[in-house]
Amino acid sequence: MTQTLASEVENVNAMARPAPLSIGGYLIKRLLDYGVGHVFGIPGDYVLSFYGMLESSPLRVVNCTREDCAGFAADAYARVHGLGVVCVTYCVGGLSVCNSVAGAYAEKSPVIVISGAPGISERVNNPLLHHKVRDFRTQLEVFEKICAVAVDLNDPVDAFRDIDRALDTAVRFKRPVYIELPRDMVHVVPHVTHTYHRWEHATDPQALNEAVEETLAWLARTEKPIIIAGVEIHRFGWQEKLLALAEHLQIPIAATMLGKSVIRETHPLYIGLYEGAMGRPEVTQFVEESDCVLLLGAFMTDLNLGIYTANLDPGKCIYATSEQLRIRHHHYRGVVLGDFLDELLKRQPPPRPRPIPDGLRPRAEREPFELKPDARITLRRLIERLDRQLDDDTIVIADIGDSLFAATELVTHERTEFISPAYYTSMGFAVPACVGALAARPDARVVALCGDGAFQMTGMELSTAVRYGLSPIVIVLDNGGYGTERVLHPGQWQFNDIRRWDYARIPEVLGGGRGYRVETEGDFERALLSAWEDRSQFSLLHVLLDPNDYSPTLTRLAERLSKRI
Amino acid sequence: MTQTLASEVENVNAMARPAPLSIGGYLIKRLLDYGVGHVFGIPGDYVLSFYGMLESSPLRVVNCTREDCAGFAADAYARVHGLGVVCVTYCVGGLSVCNSVAGAYAEKSPVIVISGAPGISERVNNPLLHHKVRDFRTQLEVFEKICAVAVDLNDPVDAFRDIDRALDTAVRFKRPVYIELPRDMVHVVPHVTHTYHRWEHATDPQALNEAVEETLAWLARTEKPIIIAGVEIHRFGWQEKLLALAEHLQIPIAATMLGKSVIRETHPLYIGLYEGAMGRPEVTQFVEESDCVLLLGAFMTDLNLGIYTANLDPGKCIYATSEQLRIRHHHYRGVVLGDFLDELLKRQPPPRPRPIPDGLRPRAEREPFELKPDARITLRRLIERLDRQLDDDTIVIADIGDSLFAATELVTHERTEFISPAYYTSMGFAVPACVGALAARPDARVVALCGDGAFQMTGMELSTAVRYGLSPIVIVLDNGGYGTERVLHPGQWQFNDIRRWDYARIPEVLGGGRGYRVETEGDFERALLSAWEDRSQFSLLHVLLDPNDYSPTLTRLAERLSKRI
């Protein structure tokens, strides 16, 4: 049976009625206030009562096959939609989403984790209730380590305020938060009147003024400025501000790997990804010879910097994120990046145009794709062909390893989104992320690139695509093992090999979807066109690669690493 | 390609050579000292160097498809073999085993968690290395919450001692421990001489004497004594002690659900599982009318006590575990349960025979199984038929939900083992546990009972069975959803339904194993006999049940819970 993910609104009026709300009811109301439409998860006995409330609310429950998949789906939903929710039972559910939630923390994706828990009234004399690990605080203490805040709704007087605090923190800092809901508190109606006060985070106007003046004075002296745009620009919705500033100043823009698609890659000012020795050498050179680097919303991670092969002199950088603003070696406190961008543009500084050499921009170097139908498919040719298929409504999701490295060579369009856990790099993200992305954007064409090792971790989550009638296109890049590890740790190690599955037959198990086996360029052409037309079901393209076939990006990285040894 | 799991010994001599050992080498040596033969896990770049060392050692690396599955496999291996090991990479691997490890903690299964980590030399100025969540302590701090001890091998002087401390703690307390191994410490050879000193945990002889005298004096006054045996008797290897004492005293024995198979269920003194209102009423009555209950190595958990429907008066109980000895309401400290059992028998007290009524012992009530080939298969009939198939070399693994409740009705034989996470109750345990159990006991017949919801979480781990030529029999009990939750939270909730897979076709995806579709008693008979004969591959029996078909145990629990409301 196929269910629909469309939000239903018949219950909205019931929710909006100004009757006194229970703790569970208030939590649902606040999620709706933030525009959340879907909750991902798996029920369990300590959260069944709240699940009943969820299913009766305007929120749509999306049942996944595993909790960690629900966590990845909620993370992808948050990246596309602005806020995601995963709801699970105590410990067996909660501790199964640790890795997904840690990834959301590391990459600033605002995911609300709601966990059921034993009732407060059941805890007298610390009994051994099932699912308990050490004591009733254990799960909360674990999530304190991997969330921005963790609250326990164990007190009717504090519960509403704690819900507000948790949700506001997620939205403000774009980090996951944890809300523990004991099962006997779900229907409790507090006897206190609660009014929601939004906590505003304001910029210090004097610090802002000084920082802007210093920046503009420096820009006026520069000859080769460059902007490096990072993922926070997307998370906080500052794309328009950034683009307006760059277009006014006429400064070229590079993006980090994690920030790929922050601006459309066909923009005339866009020059490509900056990723040190992993990236295209001409981009690396153009960035590193700059006399003023505006790093905006970027994480300075090892992978974003090509495993620290990037060569950026802090003395030439303005490094602005949601958490700090650093100009060369001094810091400004209390300057919100969005306000910084606004103020820079408002002052209408003179443009600092920097010409972009021929052949630097990614689109310029492309030649027409000439299909060689009988040629064995290679990763490079697959990416080149796929690149020509992307349109404005595509969301590309890349899993980890060479799926990611290869996918960085795709050119995203006007409204294309590129999603990948490119810093935390947890394998198995892509397929569950398709579910989350399609719940958020049902009309989008979602294409996932996924290694075989990653697919074996979470690929059966395609079951959820069948259940809800979603039609992602999943491209399984099968090289029979953990390809990136073969490059990083050469040798004939059995542990880098995995069993080869007949992935194209998975639709037969799931009772839905269509599988394609791809060995040649002609196979890929036919499968891709067929899959692109098919909006009725998921498509799985099983691409059999030579185990020694690596993307140019991974090849460059390997060459660089081997030089280090 | 199928690999073998048999331990190879050609490298043992190299390991035994008294050359100075590196930190990684010492860790491997100590695992071998404890008789460990297999390490379960998935490699990743921060642990690749240690994986290379593992693959070159006498230890066999068992590659699973997912880290949490490797954790479950290591847990099952520990339950069968005495000590289990899971080895993963930093955060994306480690945080993926949190739930498996928490389950091992809750149920006292000694699992060693080894996690790679960024090198100490890479951590200068706290860089954003991939896989990092908050800081370099985050993962260690998480595992401190769910392990008996967590050590970080970041100092050559302390490393060997820390390894000893972690392993001794796991063996002594039967709890998981965490060892973090930075990648640049793997090959470091400390400049200090290290000698291993085993830490002995000794009983206080005077406390022991007083407790034994009090116990024997009480026993001499009793008329209706009973022993309830728990899982610790198995974990600590005290089965023979317990049985010798029970046979000498002629006291009947019940077991807890978690302790099922602690003694063979065909033993003349065995009366069945004691589980409050969930259990057979005649067993419950026989236990609860006792005037002296010897609770030995049992966890007093909610499920062991039939969701607290058990009715045991502490004033009539002697409660002895590895952690405490309580007689009525007073406590003795420092009395090891194994020594307590030894000393009780050594005093040769007079027997306190208590007659067991006809029909109480589980085997006695059985009638011959008459096959009705065309009848739709029911859970009750399936269990009755399977019960007659079990032999001395069977290991039964039950997943959670009605798989567990139904499986409690099986009768285990001389050397049958029954494995289930019956307290922590994490779904998805059974299939990965088959891999762990068969690595530990390659000659055993391993049969898993698994609900469809649980199978969808981890069932594809059968891939690992194909890879290593293992032949478990997995019975998927398909009722199209989370059956136990339908009982606990009645109503037409969509969240309790799951998509029905065509499980019997999974062998076609994995390229190994054989699937059977079972709808009638005849189908089950044929499939079971065929599977039992087949030692060349896994067998998957897809049993299509009526969604309203529950085991007698779950039915009794539901009746009892409904009376409470």
Side-chain angles (χ1 to χ4, degrees), chain A residues 368-387:
Chain A
F369 184 82
E370 280 179 39
L371 184 71
K372 298 168 191 154
D374 298 326
R376 177 160 190 179
I377 188 78
T378 65
L379 191 50
R380 176 168 214 154
R381 291 281 291 170
L382 181 150
I383 293 293
E384 285 179 9
R385 174 62 189 88
L386 180 61
D387 194 31

Side-chain angles (χ1 to χ4, degrees), chain A residues 238-505:
Chain A
W238 294 326
Q239 292 101 323
E240 296 306 319
K241 295 180 199 290
L242 174 79
L243 215 49
L245 181 67
E247 286 172 352
H248 173 80
L249 290 166
Q250 285 295 301
I251 298 179
I253 308 172
T256 62
M257 190 159 62
L258 192 60
K260 184 175 168 70
S261 87
V262 156
I263 72 157
R264 69 179 166 94
E265 301 191 320
T266 50
H267 192 282
L269 286 172
Y270 183 74
I271 61 163
L273 292 187
Y274 174 65
E275 37 186 350
M278 268 163 63
R280 287 186 297 132
E282 58 272 26
V283 174
T284 303
Q285 186 189 339
F286 187 79
V287 170
E288 294 182 357
E289 70 188 18
S290 169
D291 54 357
C292 180
V293 182
L294 286 142
L295 279 152
L296 302 176
F299 292 11
M300 303 305 284
T301 74
D302 55 353
L303 280 174
N304 270 346
L305 300 178
I307 314 287
Y308 296 113
T309 56
N311 195 9
L312 292 177
D313 174 2
K316 292 180 180 170
C317 290
I318 295 173
Y319 181 48
T321 72
S322 67
E323 293 174 8
Q324 60 170 304
L325 170 57
R326 191 184 75 204
I327 299 182
R328 291 191 302 275
H329 294 92
H330 55 278
H331 298 257
Y332 290 89
R333 305 272 179 230
V335 177
V336 174
L337 175 53
D339 296 335
F340 181 63
L341 295 175
D342 278 342
E343 192 64 23
L344 284 172
L345 183 60
K346 195 171 145 198
R347 304 282 176 104
Q348 289 287 307
R352 303 297 308 166
R354 180 180 177 193
I356 299 175
D358 287 346
L360 188 60
R361 293 189 41 238
R363 183 54 88 187
E365 62 183 338
R366 289 285 147 76
E367 295 160 18
F369 184 82
E370 280 179 39
L371 184 71
K372 298 168 191 154
D374 298 326
R376 177 160 190 179
I377 188 78
T378 65
L379 191 50
R380 176 168 214 154
R381 291 281 291 170
L382 181 150
I383 293 293
E384 285 179 9
R385 174 62 189 88
L386 180 61
D387 194 31
R388 281 145 182 88
Q389 194 70 28
L390 303 185
D391 59 29
D392 285 359
D393 288 317
T394 314
I395 297 177
V396 178
I397 300 177
D399 215 289
I400 296 313
D402 215 5
S403 317
L404 170 59
F405 298 133
T408 58
E409 291 155 24
L410 293 168
V411 178
T412 62
H413 289 236
E414 194 70 42
R415 285 164 43 203
T416 315
E417 293 206 46
F418 182 84
I419 299 174
S420 180
Y423 164 49
Y424 187 63
T425 52
S426 181
M427 283 167 63
F429 175 85
V431 174
C434 289
V435 171
L438 279 164
R441 289 256 307 272
D443 298 330
R445 206 74 193 86
V446 171
V447 182
L449 285 159
C450 184
D452 51 346
F455 187 90
Q456 290 192 6
M457 291 183 171
T458 58
M460 297 304 276
E461 195 59 35
L462 284 171
S463 178
T464 305
V466 180
R467 177 172 181 162
Y468 296 101
L470 310 177
S471 54
I473 299 171
V474 175
I475 301 174
V476 179
L477 302 170
D478 176 7
N479 56 11
Y482 305 126
T484 305
E485 291 180 8
R486 291 186 184 131
V487 174
L488 295 178
H489 192 64
Q492 291 302 313
W493 302 108
Q494 291 186 352
F495 56 71
N496 282 335
D497 297 331
I498 67 170
R499 181 155 187 88
R500 292 191 108 140
W501 292 3
D502 194 350
Y503 302 96
R505 300 188 73 168

